[in-house]
């Protein structure tokens, strides 16, 4: 059961959120102030925090920044809840380290969808185990990707999105993933992102893998999506002398 810390000073809203989350199977803890929330997190790390922006005393924004600055809570998944809808406020919230942003009033279904998406997005990254597929090795702990090559391992430089995409594909190999599924798992929240964004990042990923002759591992499955295969022959070994 995933644990959710709800930081909200308005009791009626807090209770409503808690009721809906418990109904959906989450283990919910409530905190009415930043101070209470810090004590809760110090006691036990929740799987996700719903953080109201406007709190008495320290603001939710300052609290998010505080958690992001501490090693133990650096990766704590945070969704900001707020009545502020301006673009500058959204940017401030995301800059402070929130993973996502929900403007009040929001529907319970949207809140639950955002929570599920964020938990899925964070889950593979929480696993620090290195993964291998074909000639590729990806180590989440060091954020390094290498490809086995005749003269030692070749390092592959990837942007953060391509890294997450490759990590997801490598932990779910030989299966076809639709663009919508990839957005859901890799981006976490595809409400504002178009499906063609996936194609752009797949193209970049292939370009990064090309020097190691591993681009063919990312297969396009027409009308369905993408698949990573460890079986793709590398042109490196196929090319006759
Ligand atoms: Ca409030």
């Amino acid at each position: 059961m995933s644990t959710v810390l709800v930081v909200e000073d308005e009791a009626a809203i807090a209770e409503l959120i808690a009721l809906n989350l418990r109904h959906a199977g989450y283990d919910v803890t409530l905190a009415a102030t930043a101070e209470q929330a810090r004590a809760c997190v110090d006691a036990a790390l929740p799987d996700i925090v719903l953080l109201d922006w406007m709190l008495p005393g320290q603001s939710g924004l300052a609290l998010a920044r505080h958690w992001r600055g501490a090693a133990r809570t650096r990766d704590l998944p945070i969704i900001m809840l707020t009545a502020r809808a301006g673009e500058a406020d959204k940017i401030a919230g995301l800059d402070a380290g929130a993973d996502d942003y929900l403007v009040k009033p929001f529907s319970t279904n949207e809140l639950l969808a955002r929570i599920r998406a964020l938990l899925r997005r964070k889950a593979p990254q929480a696993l620090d185990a290195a993964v291998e597929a074909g000639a590729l090795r990806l180590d989440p702990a060091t954020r390094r990707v290498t490809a086995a090559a005749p003269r030692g391992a070749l390092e592959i430089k990837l942007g953060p999105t391509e890294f997450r995409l490759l990590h997801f594909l490598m932990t779910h190999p030989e299966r076809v993933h639709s663009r919508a599924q990839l957005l859901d798992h890799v981006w976490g929240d595809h409400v504002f992102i178009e499906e063609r964004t996936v194609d752009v990042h797949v193209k970049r990923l292939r370009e990064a893998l090309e020097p190691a002759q591993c681009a063919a591992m990312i297969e396009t499955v027409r009308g369905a999506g993408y698949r990573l295969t460890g079986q793709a022959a590398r042109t490196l070994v196929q090319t006759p002398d």
Side-chain angles (χ1 to χ4, degrees):
M1 189 191 284
S2 296
T3 54
V4 184
L5 172 63
V6 179
V7 190
E8 166 66 77
D9 61 308
E10 285 158 82
I13 295 175
E15 288 299 338
L16 185 64
I17 293 173
L19 186 76
N20 285 317
L21 291 182
R22 285 180 184 133
H23 187 69
Y26 292 97
D27 182 357
V28 182
T29 305
L30 294 178
T33 63
E35 192 180 32
Q36 279 180 21
R38 285 165 78 152
C40 288
V41 167
D42 287 347
L45 272 181
D47 292 313
I48 194 163
V49 179
L50 304 184
L51 180 57
D52 185 30
W53 180 308
M54 300 294 281
L55 294 168
Q58 188 181 35
S59 73
L61 198 68
L63 182 56
R65 218 175 271 130
H66 162 78
W67 278 332
R68 284 293 175 260
R72 181 168 171 268
T73 48
R74 198 180 52 210
D75 297 321
L76 190 61
I78 299 172
I79 298 178
M80 294 284 296
L81 307 177
T82 177
R84 293 165 177 257
E87 191 191 34
D89 293 321
K90 288 183 187 178
I91 292 168
L94 295 171
D95 278 350
D99 295 286
D100 202 355
Y101 195 102
L102 263 178
V103 177
K104 295 176 187 174
F106 46 80
S107 76
T108 300
N109 283 342
E110 183 172 13
L111 174 64
L112 292 173
R114 300 282 185 117
I115 290 174
R116 283 196 303 271
L118 184 52
L119 288 175
R120 272 199 300 270
R121 176 152 53 117
K122 289 282 179 167
Q125 291 167 342
L127 301 172
D128 270 354
V131 278
E132 290 183 4
L136 290 179
R137 184 174 197 278
L138 180 148
D139 187 346
T142 57
R143 295 195 75 80
R144 286 184 76 204
V145 179
T146 50
R151 291 182 193 86
L154 200 66
E155 177 139 17
I156 294 164
K157 295 283 182 203
L158 295 178
T161 303
E162 287 74 38
F163 185 91
R164 284 204 308 275
L165 179 60
L166 182 61
H167 191 193
F168 176 76
L169 291 172
M170 286 179 73
T171 47
H172 303 82
E174 312 299 338
R175 263 181 275 168
V176 181
H177 307 284
S178 70
R179 287 167 180 80
Q181 286 169 336
L182 289 173
L183 282 174
D184 212 11
H185 289 282
V186 179
W187 280 260
D189 161 19
H190 57 268
V191 179
F192 307 109
I193 304 172
E194 293 175 54
E195 292 200 353
R196 67 163 185 239
T197 302
V198 174
D199 303 329
V200 171
H201 288 279
V202 166
K203 183 169 177 284
R204 284 188 200 158
L205 178 57
R206 282 186 179 136
E207 283 165 2
L209 294 175
E210 193 55 57
Q213 314 289 332
C214 291
M217 287 177 68
I218 316 291
E219 297 179 337
T220 303
V221 182
R222 273 191 70 186
Y226 294 102
R227 167 173 60 203
L228 178 135
T229 178
Q231 264 82 75
R234 298 166 86 190
T235 45
L236 195 70
V237 278
Q238 269 190 334
T239 310
D241 290 13

